[in-house]
Amino acid sequence: MRSIQLIDAPTDGYWRGTAQAGGASTITLSASFSQDSDLMIGRFVFITSGTGIGQFAQITGYNNTTKVVTIETAWATLDSSWVTPDNTSVYLVESMRYKLWDFGNLS
């Protein structure tokens, strides 16, 4: 069985921004980002330009006061060539995800 996930996110607005900082397993979103912590868990954050371009990780925690996103594991653990994001990292937080399944030939 195979699956594919389609990610949807706006191209502007507060779902996209420049990080304030990064840590081994965190990224600090822009000061203008505001979202309920419960709604952030399980989403993905993508680095679309700057330091860490091409990296992505699932969000396991979010503090709306500090804007710090905690990810599933350290960036470098996800891929040995990945780096810690910094204040040049432009991110995109998914706003909706669709999962499509291919069960193949069931006969």
Side-chain angles (χ1 to χ4, degrees):
M1 176 170 45
R2 298 171 293 198
S3 72
I4 185 170
Q5 293 189 39
L6 304 175
I7 304 297
D8 186 21
T11 57
D12 59 3
Y14 69 80
W15 292 97
R16 172 187 291 278
T18 301
Q20 297 181 64
S25 59
T26 64
I27 183 170
T28 305
L29 305 184
S30 70
S32 63
F33 188 90
S34 182
Q35 189 59 257
D36 183 65
S37 298
D38 292 339
L39 296 176
M40 290 289 288
I41 295 172
R43 295 180 186 272
F44 281 81
V45 60
F46 298 85
I47 309 297
T48 60
S49 68
T51 300
I53 186 172
Q55 297 176 185
F56 61 94
Q58 190 166 29
I59 297 170
T60 58
Y62 174 67
N63 182 313
N64 194 46
T65 302
T66 63
K67 311 302 181 192
V68 173
V69 163
T70 303
I71 62 167
E72 57 196 299
T73 189
W75 294 101
T77 302
L78 293 168
D79 186 296
S80 62
S81 66
W82 285 11
V83 297
T84 299
D86 62 20
N87 63 355
T88 69
S89 304
V90 177
Y91 65 84
L92 175 67
V93 176
E94 71 162 303
S95 63
M96 189 173 296
R97 182 178 344 145
Y98 307 93
K99 194 163 196 174
L100 307 175
W101 294 96
D102 175 5
F103 292 96
N105 185 352
L106 298 177
S107 58

